Amino acid sequence: MLPVARAVVDVLSGRTGGSAALATVIGRSGSAPQVVGARLLLREDGVQVGTVGGGAIEEQVLDACRACLRDGSPRVVKAHLVRDLGMCCGGAMEVFVEYLAPEARLVLVGAGHVAQAVAPVAAGVGFRVVVVDDREDLLEHPAFAGAERHARDVDELDLAVPDLGERDYVVILTRDHARDERALAHLVRRPHRYLGMIGSVRKVHAIVARVLRREQELGRSAPDLSRVRAPVGIALGGRTPAEIAISIVAELLADRHGGSGAAMNVVPQAIARLGGPASTVASDREGDARDDR
């Protein structure tokens, strides 16, 4: 069990760089080849750790693991080892297969006040935080205690995060517009899932225009900006670093889970279903409250 447990930790921490399917024996009867709780992990790169018994049942479970890796959906494999699979073992097995994905990685380019507010909030909702800033004193801030830290400037992002990939989230929060612009110009050409930049609407217009003009002058095609979010965050109206951090992390979560970021309020629909105006429903509630007293 220990090798499988270690492999699970490696996947969830992102050390293997990909997802995996974990199969667990949840039921058995007769002379099945493995006990309840036995596990097998199949990584995205094809590496297998552990076993659920070998033979035809393991092949069927591995097929389920491959399907799980393709669609991300859990499934249950049930088989009678003799009747269904022609194995000489008697009995039956039931195996649960689930999808494991590494923690989403969030790279903060900049370690100032907003980054210090973002880091603990992002970590609290499951992001693996990386902070890049050339100011080593800021990297020692307690907010980054659990983060991976790199003392590099924006021109050294390739050295700080050489393995940036399609699953990664990046937010640019440097101390000046010039650094923000250099970081954005570089990162739009790097793999990423989400790329955000802090700033005013006026600043974003100016920086995007300069980045696109420079690419054109260099004779290169326009970079893909479809996953760039600037100004970063959801419009919550806050202005303090803590409020901005909540706005940013809210947008990260909406992207990660496919949410819209809209309010979930359904009170107007509930009132409409009752067939009466809001004032009538409110009046009824007040009457109920008086009755309760």
Side-chain angles (χ1 to χ4, degrees):
M1 294 300 295
L2 188 57
V4 176
R6 286 173 174 157
V8 168
V9 171
D10 286 343
V11 170
L12 295 179
S13 65
R15 283 196 285 268
T16 60
S19 55
L22 177 65
T24 305
V25 177
I26 58 174
R28 71 183 293 273
S29 62
S31 57
Q34 268 291 10
V35 297
V36 171
R39 290 185 172 89
L40 175 156
L41 180 136
L42 181 67
R43 286 190 347 207
E44 192 176 32
D45 60 6
V47 172
Q48 176 184 333
V49 182
T51 180
V52 292
I57 182 61
E58 186 147 300
E59 280 305 312
Q60 188 169 345
V61 169
L62 286 169
D63 285 343
C65 287
R66 295 182 189 103
C68 182
L69 285 169
R70 285 193 296 272
D71 62 24
S73 299
R75 61 241 305 136
V76 175
V77 177
K78 295 181 180 180
H80 189 282
L81 304 184
V82 177
R83 184 179 63 244
D84 300 331
L85 301 177
M87 296 176 67
C88 58
C89 300
M93 287 180 66
E94 187 174 358
V95 182
F96 175 65
V97 179
E98 59 188 310
Y99 183 76
L100 300 181
E103 287 181 306
R105 182 168 63 166
L106 170 62
V107 180
L108 300 177
V109 183
H113 295 304
V114 175
Q116 290 164 16
V118 168
V121 177
V125 296
F127 284 94
R128 183 162 53 95
V129 180
V130 178
V131 188
V132 182
D133 199 300
D134 61 319
R135 298 168 292 178
E136 295 187 28
D137 57 325
L138 289 185
L139 292 177
E140 296 302 318
H141 192 280
F144 305 133
E148 179 183 328
R149 291 165 284 183
H150 297 278
R152 301 279 186 179
D153 208 343
V154 294
D155 300 316
E156 303 172 295
L157 288 172
D158 282 345
L159 296 174
V161 195
D163 59 341
L164 199 66
E166 297 290 342
R167 293 187 177 92
D168 292 323
Y169 293 74
V170 187
V171 177
I172 300 169
L173 306 154
T174 79
R175 60 187 178 274
D176 59 60
H177 292 193
R179 279 184 169 81
D180 286 348
E181 183 175 334
R182 298 205 309 272
L184 182 66
H186 175 73
L187 289 166
V188 290
R189 294 287 182 183
R190 295 282 305 277
H192 58 271
R193 171 166 174 164
Y194 169 107
L195 175 57
M197 181 180 71
I198 198 168
S200 66
V201 171
R202 185 174 183 179
K203 166 191 166 180
V204 171
H205 278 285
I207 287 180
V208 169
R210 285 197 294 268
V211 168
L212 292 177
R213 185 168 57 249
R214 189 177 301 113
E215 293 293 307
Q216 186 177 29
E217 291 169 353
L218 292 171
R220 300 195 297 210
S221 59
D224 178 14
L225 301 178
S226 62
R227 288 169 290 180
V228 177
R229 303 288 183 269
V232 65
I234 290 175
L236 301 180
R239 294 184 176 276
T240 68
E243 292 169 331
I244 293 168
I246 291 170
S247 165
I248 292 171
V249 176
E251 187 171 71
L252 298 178
L253 288 175
D255 181 272
R256 189 168 77 181
H257 297 299
S260 67
M264 295 188 291
N265 177 34
V266 296
V267 171
Q269 295 94 312
I271 292 169
R273 289 184 65 182
L274 293 173
S279 58
T280 301
V281 176
S283 177
D284 291 344
R285 285 177 181 160
E286 289 171 5
D288 291 342
R290 284 194 296 271
D291 292 341
D292 290 341
R293 286 196 293 271

